Amino acid sequence: MVENRPFLTFLSHLVLILGLLVVFLPVYIALIASTRGPTEFLSGIVPLLPGDHTIANYRAMLQSGLSTSGAPPLFPMMMNSLIMALAIAIGKIVISIISAYAIVYFRFPFRALAFWAIFVTLMLPVEVRIIPTFEVVANLSMLNSYAGLTIPLIASATATFLFRQFFLTVPEELIEAARVDGAGPIKFFWDILLPLSRTNIAALFVILFIYGWNQYLWPLLITTDTRYYTVVMGIKRMAAYADAEPLWNLVMAAVMLAAIPPVIVIIFMQRLFIKGLVETEK
Amino acid sequence: MQTKRTVFPNKALPYFLLLPQLAVTGIFFLWPAWQAIWFSFLREDAFGFKSTFVWLENYARLFNSASYINSISITFTFAFAVAFLSMAVALLFAVNVNSMIRSRNAYTTLLVWPYAVAPAVAGILWWFLFNPSIGILPYLLSMAEIRWNHRTSQADAMTLVVIAASWKQISYNFLFFLAGLQAIPNSLIEAAAIDGAGPFKRFRTIVFPLLSPTTFFLLVVNVVYAMFDTFGIIHATTEGGPAGGTNIMVYKVYADGVIGLNLGSSSAQSVVLMCVVIFLTVIQFRYIERRVQY
Amino acid sequence: MATVELKDVKKTYAGGVEAVKGVSIDIPDGQMCVLVGPSGCGKSTLLRMVAGLETITAGDVLIDNNVVNRLGPAERDIAMVFQNYALYPHMKVYDNMAYGLRNRGMPRPEIDQRVREAAATLGLAELLERKPRELSGGQRQRVAMGRAIVRSPKAFLFDEPLSNLDAKLRGQMRIEIKAIQRRFGVTSIYVTHDQVEAMTLADILVVMNAGLAEQIGTPLSIYERPATTFVAGFIGSPSMNLMKAVAQGAKGLQLADGGSVVKPRDTELPQGGREVLLGVRPEHFTLVKDGKNADLELSVTAVETLGADTLAHGRPSGSNGSGGEIIARLPGASRIDEGDVLPLAIDPGLAHLFDAASGQRI
């Protein structure tokens, strides 16, 4: 800063700390609620200090869930979310990196057409083509399956553009040196381009993992079998139920469990996450 | 379109490399989008046996229906409220964090995580906080003689979903504002200080104008987010209610199509939304072109 | 090791741009051919056609007497050193050098032996486990050389390999490259825009301009007898002075800018009335004490004192200024000031005459 005014610095910290309190508030309250017993919500407002039902609540949710709400236990739902997040992240990265490779390192008829076809997917989020996409998946007998949960979501213009952009910055001479060194297209991709793309892949993985884990509308549409429920869509059923019955302690335990994995990924891979976020917007 | 100066001579390989992406795109994006357009011109009879081509009748009905007009206006209110609230708070955070040196990374870490919380989960968190019978916020509000009930008041429900949607988006806006602030050369700030501008004047006359590309970019991104990525928040909390008070367009497509099973109307709504996304994407890309030249 | 031969090689790009308009060069086994010229003259394109990185529009490239037009770069058995080195950033020095050998399926022990030998020759033995980013510019340059050497190819191709180095290192690497090329006796083609590199490295020098080879010869023959005004201006520093003049028969040459009549000694004069360009290298002017022995008087407008030499910039006295500036390179000890009028003699036999219209040597 240009001036050194301790009062201004103090004011800045004050604003930030108050702001952070507001940002943390909903999670703190949820966390507290998830440590309390079932009867403690009958009287007035949510308590502000932790209770002693933590282990019991979380164990109950992981193992049996809110069976009355028709949702399965949390643990299998979390596994489904994990499978979905990993499959989407890996699938998107794989098909995007190879299509970007084709677009940048080859010249062939209909190259521009292919590029535009991929580009158009940017303009067609699931939300605007719900019913026909559902019908396609239904016709392919992919309802209630992991394939149905993931494959329709793995086309990605953003990831393809990211890799294309990155490939364009790779020095021309590397492919020339590799060709002189006798490397063909597959070998060049595997030995040179893929290792060079490591950081980009990792950054993209963080973003896409969160994207996959947080999917809501799609699993809601194509799963009717509780064995394929994901945790984010599953808790909605419980929340609706909890509004009628005082089971908020259990619902909030479920909410925490649904939120924790992606939050951990972001906090521990913050640098990659920020890189991924900024790069995908280029 | 750009390629490398030197490319591989293979003829068939690039098609194989593109095949998976194009197959998924074709089957799950382009074909359904085309179907949506086609269905939007059809009307099914009551039993779903027969459909007739009705030209623009679905669209005409749509734009003559009070509930759709209502949905459009609600969507605009919601989108701009979310964009404004989350950007304003994020900018406040970014400006203050940017003036820190040692604590900058710590604050950043404390602010990025809400991005990872699913919209539906964010919705439930605030839904709980605002719960009229046990929530802490209605309790505090009642002390100020304000009665809160998002189950009956449309304004309360809208406020709830706006706050939940904005809360989740603060991280994103914060990171982009912080990057934008750090891209402003320090020499400019110093020059302004020498010219006698104090911190607030500097922000108003130097920093904020120089941030305008970032601000505009974020405005577009936030509107897109609020219009299309907040389905989970609405569905998990208000379900469009009370009495359609939070029935944003994306939720209405779902409600009319999946729950109401009105294929023609839902498809027409899909097509309208497609036009909105295309419009917003074009704005975004034209802006990026300018940013590159800049 | 092999001969490299270019027969009327042409390159026309899809847009119709003619980058190379027909160049023929013969490079005997073990010789170093340097292609020099300004940017855009087609020298890099020509090299890349030899490498197989650009298709050949017309003509033939022969390596070891075989036409290689249709072969890919790897099949031509050539090695290339790139301007930015093109080292694989994620591979250690050892792997960078071994990569091409592995791709050719060479047995491991032989690869190891070759890499270590080349590394020892280039002083890289200590650096084999490092990544390229941990090396200095000169070391990276050596690794790029090493990658070429280990292959024992039929030809080395250098694409401006020294232009990313600072001046001092460039001088040093120039000598190293020459020494290595001599030692291994590998036929080489070297592209540069730097005429010092061109002069010092070449066995055969090719001066290129606008897609054509203006002159091919040994560096000295080109310096001594430039075939065109372009070559005359390009080779030598500072450039050769070119003065417009009209031949006056036995009297000499009347400078077109209104200066005096010049009669260079030991020079065959063209027939009267012909418009010519009189070329004199700055280093071929001698300051004479006696004005009577002078061929030309120079009114000095600027002086650059370099220590060893002094460069005197000026105009022929009596000139109206339309002929541009003349530079004379004089001994460093000459004390010269602006405004001096210097009596200069052209060294006998070292004047060059070109046709004013065509630029060809007379």
Side-chain angles (χ1 to χ4, degrees), chain C residues 197-242:
Chain C
E197 262 170 49
M199 293 293 289
T200 50
L201 288 171
D203 296 312
I204 303 167
L205 183 58
V206 179
V207 182
M208 290 191 63
N209 181 31
L212 289 169
E214 290 259 340
Q215 191 172 3
I216 302 177
T218 64
L220 265 186
S221 73
I222 289 179
Y223 174 81
E224 285 165 358
R225 287 183 64 80
T228 64
T229 48
F230 175 82
V231 177
F234 197 81
I235 298 292
S237 174
S239 304
M240 182 186 283
N241 299 297
L242 290 168

Side-chain angles (χ1 to χ4, degrees), chain B residues 218-257:
Chain B
L218 285 177
L219 181 66
V220 178
V221 169
N222 279 279
V223 168
V224 171
Y225 159 79
M227 289 187 75
F228 297 97
D229 297 338
T230 50
F231 174 84
I233 295 178
I234 306 283
H235 186 258
T237 59
T238 63
E239 294 188 319
T246 54
N247 198 9
I248 62 169
M249 289 157 86
V250 165
Y251 189 78
K252 191 168 161 57
V253 176
Y254 168 84
D256 291 358

Side-chain angles (χ1 to χ4, degrees), chain A residues 67-182:
Chain A
S67 48
T68 43
S69 72
L74 266 274
F75 184 73
M77 286 205 287
M78 289 176 79
M79 288 312 289
N80 287 342
S81 288
L82 183 69
I83 290 168
M84 189 174 174
L86 287 176
I88 287 178
I90 294 169
K92 270 186 189 256
I93 288 171
V94 169
I95 73 169
S96 298
I97 199 168
I98 60 177
S99 32
Y101 183 55
I103 285 172
V104 174
Y105 282 96
F106 296 85
R107 249 174 245 139
F108 52 92
F110 305 116
R111 197 170 63 96
L113 186 70
F115 181 81
W116 284 106
I118 296 168
F119 180 82
V120 165
T121 61
L122 266 189
M123 307 186 187
L124 299 171
V126 186
E127 287 79 0
V128 309
R129 50 185 169 81
I130 294 176
I131 296 191
T133 316
F134 173 81
E135 286 192 351
V136 169
V137 174
N139 289 337
L140 294 172
S141 318
M142 283 162 66
L143 296 177
N144 288 317
S145 72
Y146 290 122
L149 276 173
T150 53
I151 292 173
L153 297 182
I154 63 174
S156 175
T158 329
T160 309
F161 290 170
L162 173 89
F163 285 120
R164 170 175 175 266
Q165 219 60 39
F166 171 68
F167 291 164
L168 288 174
T169 66
V170 171
E172 295 273 1
E173 286 82 357
L174 279 189
I175 177 182
E176 299 180 347
R179 289 194 66 190
V180 171
D181 271 343

Side-chain angles (χ1 to χ4, degrees), chain B residues 68-217:
Chain B
Y68 194 64
I69 301 299
N70 177 48
S71 175
I72 292 176
S73 96
I74 280 175
T75 307
F76 272 84
T77 313
F78 177 68
F80 283 96
V82 169
F84 178 78
L85 181 61
S86 65
M87 284 169 72
V89 174
L91 183 59
L92 183 70
F93 277 128
V95 168
N96 283 299
V97 169
N98 191 43
S99 68
M100 304 297 168
I101 298 159
R102 269 172 304 170
S103 53
R104 189 185 288 163
N105 289 336
Y107 278 122
T108 304
T109 306
L110 290 172
L111 278 168
V112 294
W113 59 267
Y115 178 88
V117 177
V121 171
I124 292 175
L125 286 173
W126 286 93
W127 177 254
F128 180 53
L129 213 56
F130 275 112
N131 184 301
S133 46
I134 57 167
I136 185 165
L137 294 179
Y139 175 76
L140 293 175
L141 288 170
S142 72
M143 291 199 280
E145 305 270 313
I146 299 170
R147 292 193 48 203
W148 175 273
N149 195 340
H150 53 238
R151 291 202 190 89
T152 53
S153 157
Q154 294 194 342
D156 289 359
M158 177 57 92
T159 310
L160 169 70
V161 289
V162 166
I163 289 176
S166 307
W167 175 79
K168 185 187 146 37
Q169 193 67 357
I170 286 173
S171 314
Y172 185 95
N173 295 339
F174 166 76
L175 287 172
F176 276 86
F177 272 132
L178 190 62
L181 287 170
Q182 285 173 352
I184 296 175
N186 220 12
S187 58
L188 277 180
I189 309 294
E190 287 163 354
I194 291 166
D195 284 341
F200 294 102
K201 182 148 198 202
R202 283 204 302 269
F203 179 78
R204 199 164 49 79
T205 56
I206 312 282
V207 177
F208 193 69
L210 286 175
L211 270 183
S212 63
T214 309
T215 312
F216 178 69
F217 162 78

